[in-house]
Amino acid sequence: MQFRRAVVLMLMTLVLPGSAQLAAGRKQVGRIALRIWFGLITTCVLLFGLGLLSSSFVFWLLSNTFVLGLVRIVLIVMAIGWAFLFIDAWRLGDPLALRQKQRLAMVGINGVLCFSVAGTLLFASHVVGVQKDFLSAMFTNGHVSSAVDGRYNVLLLGGDSGADRWGLRPDSLSVASIDEDTGQTVLFGLPRNMLNFPFPKASIMAEQFPNGYDCGSQCELNSLATWAADHKSLFKGYANPGVEATKEAVEGITGLKINYYAMVNLQGFQKLVNAVGGVTLNVRDRIPIGGIGAPISGYIEPGKRKLNGFETLWFARSRVAADDYSRMARQKCVMNAMLTQLSPTTVVLKFEKIAKASEALITTDLPKSEVDNFMQLALKARSKPIRTVSFVPPMISTGHPDIDLIHSSVQKAIDRAEGKKSKKKTSTPSRTSQPTGTTGGSIGNLKQGYAANQSSDLSSVC
């Protein structure tokens, strides 16, 4: 009976912390523990109810660093307090009055319960701490930019890492235009070699190039970062002159007001893909690994394959036996795969790896206060087709781009995504037939265009 009583006290502590002390004579300790426990339960129920009423409240909780810091402290205190109650319940069971085998059994039961419960709480506090540190390291306390005409426009830049290259001459430039209510996304692609484009009036770059960026073959779109780095004095107050110059160029080309930017380190991207367990992609042609200044070291074979980080990186960047526009199409397919395959469950289970990889992956000016809003938009966007428009041949001549055509095409794509009829008729070239065949792993060719660069549903052409 003494042994059964000792076991019951341990189980009471597991189910209802403090109840063993209340039943065994340490009523003051039991009352304090029960009050704390019921207070925590009540708080969790209230938070759960608020979460059911408002999903935005849940995302705010998950992205507020002060709340996360408070939760971490509470979890640590709970772990210590619960462990103390288990040890006290073991003492109340009067282990010295038990037989030797029973005493050993009680030590084992107490150890398992104590370490499993306290360990779970401490691990949870660690995960919360990782989330807090990730938010603090990744996001700024900068200016909040409101949606323009109901949309957030985010400039996405991709470039190679390395002491001599990171932040310079981005290899990939896109704008994600996201509906602030529905998350419906249009992805606009810009070729890195575009020439002769304007800047918005009264901008820093417009003052330097009032007739547009037209200084010859050296003045390509992706060279702006280098130009701005050589003229930092013009960009006082800006943390990243190269990004600001590129942002102004993209605003002039597309007619869109850019709210935020995200610069993606392609080498860090490799770590992110590995962190989530790989990405499934439809490899349509043999994709060389290496080449252009280095020997080809291997190939990604055709087929629907789950690629690791190294393979996914080369799928997105390889230009051997292809061209820049085929590569742009493949990059959009990678973006689509990451959006649709990176489920909330995967994020939760592999959060620490994802957080560590992301810190080395992305530089952004998105404020911490806006993270919860963009988390919601990302979940909404997962369930909707992504429309893509790229300003590349045959639609646009990258050497002499038709800016009016680009502006009208941007508005037309946004109107279609929002289910509106275009206010103006545009002269956008229409395809008489869908591209056939593949070039460099993408459906289409330079003459016909690439399907993933101009699509109403990116998933269907990837």
Side-chain angles (χ1 to χ4, degrees):
M1 289 186 65
Q2 185 74 16
F3 177 68
R4 286 200 296 269
R5 176 179 178 275
V7 172
V8 168
L9 289 174
M10 297 295 295
L11 294 177
M12 288 172 67
T13 303
L14 175 65
V15 176
L16 196 60
S19 59
Q21 284 73 19
L22 197 64
R26 297 198 66 187
K27 297 187 182 300
Q28 185 176 1
V29 174
R31 289 193 188 100
I32 293 172
L34 285 171
R35 284 169 185 165
I36 294 173
W37 179 250
F38 284 122
L40 290 171
I41 293 295
T42 302
T43 301
C44 290
V45 170
L46 288 174
L47 292 176
F48 181 75
L50 289 172
L52 291 177
L53 293 174
S54 173
S55 59
S56 59
F57 175 74
V58 176
F59 289 110
W60 175 81
L61 282 178
L62 292 174
S63 61
N64 188 290
T65 52
F66 174 78
V67 173
L68 291 173
L70 185 62
V71 170
R72 186 183 184 188
I73 292 172
V74 169
L75 288 170
I76 292 173
V77 172
M78 281 182 64
I80 296 171
W82 215 331
F84 166 77
L85 292 175
F86 274 121
I87 294 171
D88 191 55
W90 173 74
R91 184 189 63 81
L92 292 173
D94 195 9
L96 295 179
L98 301 175
R99 295 173 183 174
Q100 184 179 11
K101 290 184 178 180
Q102 293 172 338
R103 285 200 301 271
L104 292 174
M106 283 302 301
V107 170
I109 293 171
N110 181 66
V112 169
L113 292 177
C114 188
F115 285 109
S116 60
V117 172
T120 300
L121 291 171
L122 289 174
F123 176 75
S125 73
H126 170 70
V127 173
V128 171
V130 170
Q131 168 79 340
K132 178 179 177 294
D133 294 342
F134 167 69
L135 291 170
S136 298
M138 179 69 67
F139 303 101
T140 69
N141 293 315
H143 174 69
V144 174
S145 179
S146 301
V148 180
D149 296 327
R151 303 189 74 84
Y152 289 104
N153 301 307
V154 182
L155 175 61
L156 306 175
L157 303 170
D160 284 339
S161 62
D164 61 335
R165 292 203 64 188
W166 172 236
L168 304 178
R169 302 181 72 89
D171 288 335
S172 174
L173 300 97
S174 301
V175 177
S177 182
I178 310 164
D179 188 287
E180 66 172 333
D181 295 320
T182 66
Q184 182 73 59
T185 302
V186 183
L187 199 60
F188 297 106
L190 293 93
R192 63 177 186 163
N193 61 342
M194 184 176 282
L195 303 168
N196 302 308
F197 49 83
F199 299 97
K201 293 180 180 179
S203 65
I204 296 172
M205 292 302 296
E207 292 177 2
Q208 305 303 311
F209 298 92
N211 298 319
Y213 203 46
D214 59 354
C215 53
S217 60
Q218 296 300 314
C219 285
E220 296 180 340
L221 177 56
N222 74 335
S223 72
L224 281 168
T226 306
W227 188 94
D230 293 335
H231 299 82
K232 289 182 180 179
S233 59
L234 297 173
F235 297 88
K236 293 180 180 178
Y238 291 100
N240 194 322
V243 170
E244 179 59 26
T246 305
K247 186 187 295 186
E248 291 180 3
V250 172
E251 288 181 343
I253 294 168
T254 63
L256 296 171
K257 176 66 178 176
I258 301 299
N259 297 93
Y260 304 109
Y261 82 90
M263 183 181 289
V264 180
N265 176 336
L266 294 182
Q267 295 298 329
F269 174 76
Q270 178 176 327
K271 294 180 181 178
L272 177 62
V273 174
N274 285 333
V276 301
V279 176
T280 300
L281 291 163
N282 189 2
V283 184
R284 298 182 183 276
D285 293 322
R286 240 180 155 209
I287 304 296
I289 297 173
I292 303 185
I296 294 175
S297 59
Y299 292 89
I300 303 170
E301 298 298 336
K304 193 168 186 179
R305 309 168 64 86
K306 190 165 189 176
L307 306 182
N308 60 29
F310 177 78
E311 294 167 332
T312 305
L313 177 61
W314 276 104
F315 179 87
R317 69 178 301 190
S318 180
R319 282 189 296 148
V320 178
D323 53 56
D324 272 347
Y325 314 121
S326 169
R327 180 170 76 162
M328 286 176 65
R330 278 185 273 115
Q331 288 171 353
K332 288 177 177 58
C333 289
V334 172
M335 292 181 190
N336 182 72
M338 291 294 290
L339 178 65
T340 57
Q341 295 175 32
L342 192 57
S343 68
T345 303
T346 302
V347 173
V348 171
L349 294 177
K350 301 183 178 180
F351 180 75
E352 185 171 359
K353 289 183 179 179
I354 293 172
K356 288 181 178 178
S358 298
E359 287 182 23
L361 168 70
I362 298 174
T363 303
T364 182
D365 62 349
L366 181 69
K368 283 197 287 279
S369 59
E370 287 292 280
V371 172
D372 58 331
N373 184 28
F374 277 81
M375 288 169 69
Q376 293 181 77
L377 291 176
L379 286 178
K380 291 177 181 177
R382 290 185 73 246
S383 60
K384 295 178 173 61
I386 297 177
R387 184 179 294 274
T388 63
V389 178
S390 297
F391 308 117
V392 296
M395 174 185 175
I396 295 293
S397 168
T398 56
H400 299 279
D402 186 336
I403 299 300
D404 289 336
L405 174 58
I406 292 176
H407 286 188
S408 61
S409 299
V410 167
Q411 190 57 54
K412 184 176 180 180
I414 290 174
D415 287 343
R416 284 181 174 176
E418 295 177 348
K420 301 177 184 176
K421 291 185 178 180
S422 297
K423 297 177 182 178
K424 296 180 181 180
K425 291 185 178 180
T426 69
S427 57
T428 305
S430 58
R431 288 186 183 140
T432 56
S433 61
Q434 288 294 321
T436 56
T438 60
T439 305
S442 299
I443 297 176
N445 53 56
L446 187 59
K447 183 178 180 180
Q448 289 181 300
Y450 293 97
N453 284 332
Q454 315 286 350
S455 174
S456 59
D457 182 359
L458 189 53
S459 294
S460 66
V461 293
C462 285

